[in-house]
Amino acid sequence: MRTLFTGGTVVGPEGSQQADLLVDGERIAAIGRDVPHSDARVVDAAGFYLLPGGIDVHTHLDMPLDDIRSSDDFQTGHVAAACGGTTSHIDFVIQTKGGSLRQALDTWHARAEGKACIDYGFHMTIADPRPEVLEEIGRLPEWGITTVKVLMAYKGRLQLDDAQLLAVMRKAAEHGLLTMVHCENGDVIDVLERGAVAAGHREPKYHALARPSALEGEATGRAIAIAQVAGARVYIVHLTCEAALDQVRLAQSRGDSVFAETCVQYFFFTADDLDRPGFEGAKFVCSPPFRTSRDQEALWGGLVDGTLSVVSTDHCPFNFATDKAHGREDFTKIPNGVPAIEDRLIMLHHAGVNGGRITLGRFVDVTATAPARLFGLYPRKGVLAPGSDADIVLWDPRARRTISARTHHMRVDYSLFEGQTATGAPIGVWVRGMQVVDENRFVGQSGSGQYLSRNRVRQ
Ligand SMILES: [Zn+2]
């Protein structure tokens, strides 16, 4: 089937051009003026933007956490992603203690099987780096995985010590993989959390107070130093604060291969949101926590000057009424995570582009092109060009969208952005040439999403 988008503005990181765009089957066949299109279905894109489909490289769908799980699975999460203009994502497989990487990967493949409606890839979280597991890291590229993740927080669960970080990073470097790091000092946080609970400080706001930004800055610097010793390329996930940003900027100025992302919600909320009346603050509990308005300004600066390469979501939704409620008497029992997979493009465009902070090209770069380049999907994904997958977002810069849990597609009973109105939204979305969203309605098919086997990237 052929589809011709006529008269739209085709947007890329370097700028925009007025052009027709022809899709043939799953790929983009041509971009230009007066493209021959005898038998094509025509979509009038005049007055609209054509953006490469968004790529969210940090998500947790159907993720088990003790006796609960994140509330979106690979079907509901994909429908929500698509409705927000995201056509690919990379989710985190999590190795279980005592288990192998292959076992964990099989478990996650089964979760996506038959449900996926957009394309998806996997990162591998190393939770138990026994010698045989370190050896298994070398097999990841043949399974389509070119990134490993390690955590410096969540003591007793996912946290690795510095020696383990070094061992994983060395192996990753040996096999040309990128290491992603959650940078917080889990040992010190553990002490602060216990102290808060013992002192009777049990409300959601103490979650932020027990995870100060200084410890994110310290851990970021430590991760970068260990990576330097290991000869590893690193990617700092969900960076939230000036203290961490300074470390990344310093490393980049030395020429180290250090990259970083932030998540869209960190531009909108502060630690004050954890102190909303009643137990409302629990809706805003995620790690690292929301910081200060000064940190938000620093993040915008990092997005503009290139210190931050990517804006993702860390989408990890938990229902307020049931799951978040576990922490009513003790903030350490509130499941960490927030919903955002559907809101990323709309809210970043609104605050960033409409707000005069970033250009439309930069918006496309941090939400699609840079993620594709860094994570081994380029030029198949992340760009509108002949030969690339026809992952296309038809974007109406004038559409007004009021965000609400009543109308969003995420399977979660609240929205971070409840009641906020944004200007600019996707009104049509295509995945490999197949339309999956029409206006704000999902029209795709469960099971049509494909697993993305990713390439190694050397830079
Ligand atoms: Zn995460």
Side-chain angles (χ1 to χ4, degrees):
M1 199 185 82
R2 285 147 64 90
T3 308
L4 183 77
F5 296 83
T6 58
T9 302
V10 178
V11 185
E14 313 301 336
S16 315
Q17 55 163 324
Q18 204 82 25
D20 295 344
L21 186 154
L22 181 67
V23 173
D24 191 354
E26 298 199 334
R27 301 259 162 81
I28 296 170
I31 297 176
R33 293 189 186 269
D34 305 318
V35 176
H37 62 280
S38 47
D39 53 347
R41 177 195 163 211
V42 173
V43 175
D44 182 4
F48 302 132
Y49 301 143
L50 294 170
L51 312 178
I55 303 174
D56 191 341
V57 298
H58 192 150
T59 63
H60 301 278
L61 298 179
D62 207 1
M63 187 197 81
L65 179 68
D66 300 327
D67 54 343
I68 59 173
R69 48 205 315 121
S70 59
S71 60
D72 268 320
D73 65 12
F74 281 77
Q75 206 260 330
T76 63
H78 282 193
V79 168
C83 289
T86 289
T87 56
S88 302
H89 75 114
I90 311 179
D91 207 83
F92 289 90
V93 172
I94 304 175
Q95 179 206 9
T96 44
K97 293 219 167 134
S100 72
L101 303 184
R102 184 67 232 187
Q103 284 167 342
L105 178 59
D106 289 344
T107 303
W108 256 263
H109 270 302
R111 290 186 175 134
E113 187 70 42
K115 291 186 172 176
C117 326
I118 63 171
D119 290 349
Y120 60 97
F122 290 126
H123 310 289
M124 179 59 72
T125 306
I126 312 289
D128 181 16
R130 309 183 306 274
E132 66 270 29
V133 172
L134 291 172
E135 284 312 305
E136 208 184 359
I137 287 174
R139 310 271 323 261
L140 293 175
E142 67 192 79
W143 302 333
I145 296 179
T146 56
T147 36
V148 294
K149 182 190 183 192
V150 289
L151 290 89
M152 301 167 81
Y154 299 122
K155 190 175 166 90
R157 303 223 321 264
L158 295 169
Q159 183 178 331
L160 302 189
D161 65 28
D162 291 353
Q164 291 173 317
L165 288 183
L166 178 69
V168 172
M169 285 184 186
R170 278 181 168 157
K171 271 293 169 197
E174 182 186 322
H175 296 286
L177 307 179
L178 176 66
T179 302
M180 307 168 76
V181 192
H182 175 138
C183 297
E184 284 187 293
N185 188 321
D187 286 4
V188 177
I189 288 168
D190 184 58
V191 173
L192 298 181
E193 283 188 341
R194 286 168 195 271
V197 171
H201 297 154
R202 289 161 177 257
E203 296 81 17
K205 69 175 177 183
Y206 292 103
H207 170 77
L209 293 170
R211 311 181 84 98
S213 58
L215 298 180
E216 185 185 335
E218 178 276 324
T220 303
R222 181 156 43 101
I224 290 169
I226 296 170
Q228 200 180 29
V229 170
R233 301 165 61 241
V234 279
Y235 177 94
I236 312 301
V237 296
H238 48 45
L239 186 149
T240 71
C241 60
E242 187 174 33
L245 198 67
D246 286 346
Q247 296 293 332
V248 171
R249 196 173 273 132
L250 182 67
Q252 290 174 343
S253 73
R254 286 194 303 254
D256 292 0
S257 286
V258 174
F259 308 91
E261 70 176 11
T262 190
C263 304
V264 64
Q265 57 273 20
Y266 291 111
F267 292 110
F268 290 86
F269 306 101
T270 68
D272 291 344
D273 288 293
L274 280 79
D275 197 21
R276 290 196 191 190
F279 187 58
E280 288 285 300
K283 293 177 177 175
F284 300 86
V285 167
C286 57
S287 293
F290 295 128
R291 305 295 190 187
T292 65
S293 52
R294 180 192 165 108
D295 290 304
Q296 291 177 330
E297 285 306 313
L299 293 180
W300 283 117
L303 208 55
V304 170
D305 73 14
T307 311
L308 297 172
S309 303
V310 172
V311 177
S312 66
T313 61
D314 198 8
H315 178 73
C316 192
F318 292 102
N319 282 304
F320 178 64
T322 48
D323 302 332
K324 293 280 188 182
H326 288 198
R328 230 169 232 293
E329 310 300 325
D330 176 354
F331 74 88
T332 65
K333 306 234 162 36
I334 300 171
N336 284 202
V338 294
I341 201 168
E342 186 170 358
D343 306 318
R344 182 177 65 126
L345 297 190
I346 293 166
M347 296 312 294
L348 184 66
H349 173 270
H350 184 70
V353 180
N354 296 348
R357 302 261 192 186
I358 54 172
T359 63
L360 189 59
R362 185 74 184 134
F363 168 69
V364 165
D365 196 19
V366 299
T367 56
T369 312
R373 284 185 191 276
L374 279 167
F375 292 93
L377 294 169
Y378 190 87
R380 181 180 166 193
K381 305 285 192 190
V383 60
L384 297 178
S388 293
D389 282 357
D391 297 344
I392 298 168
V393 177
L394 183 65
W395 185 274
D396 180 355
R398 286 169 301 276
R400 292 186 43 92
R401 192 72 65 80
T402 299
I403 312 288
S404 172
R406 287 190 302 280
T407 49
H408 72 199
H409 298 80
M410 298 180 285
R411 188 167 65 188
V412 64
D413 63 358
Y414 75 98
S415 170
L416 291 177
F417 301 99
E418 186 68 42
Q420 295 195 38
T421 298
T423 303
I427 54 166
V429 179
W430 285 257
V431 176
R432 281 177 285 100
M434 191 177 79
Q435 187 166 11
V436 296
V437 175
D438 183 12
E439 291 299 331
N440 195 18
R441 219 161 34 89
F442 183 73
V443 296
Q445 276 173 11
S446 297
S448 62
Q450 287 183 0
Y451 175 63
L452 295 168
S453 190
R454 297 183 291 118
N455 300 319
R456 279 180 272 206
V457 178
R458 299 194 187 269
Q459 59 186 24

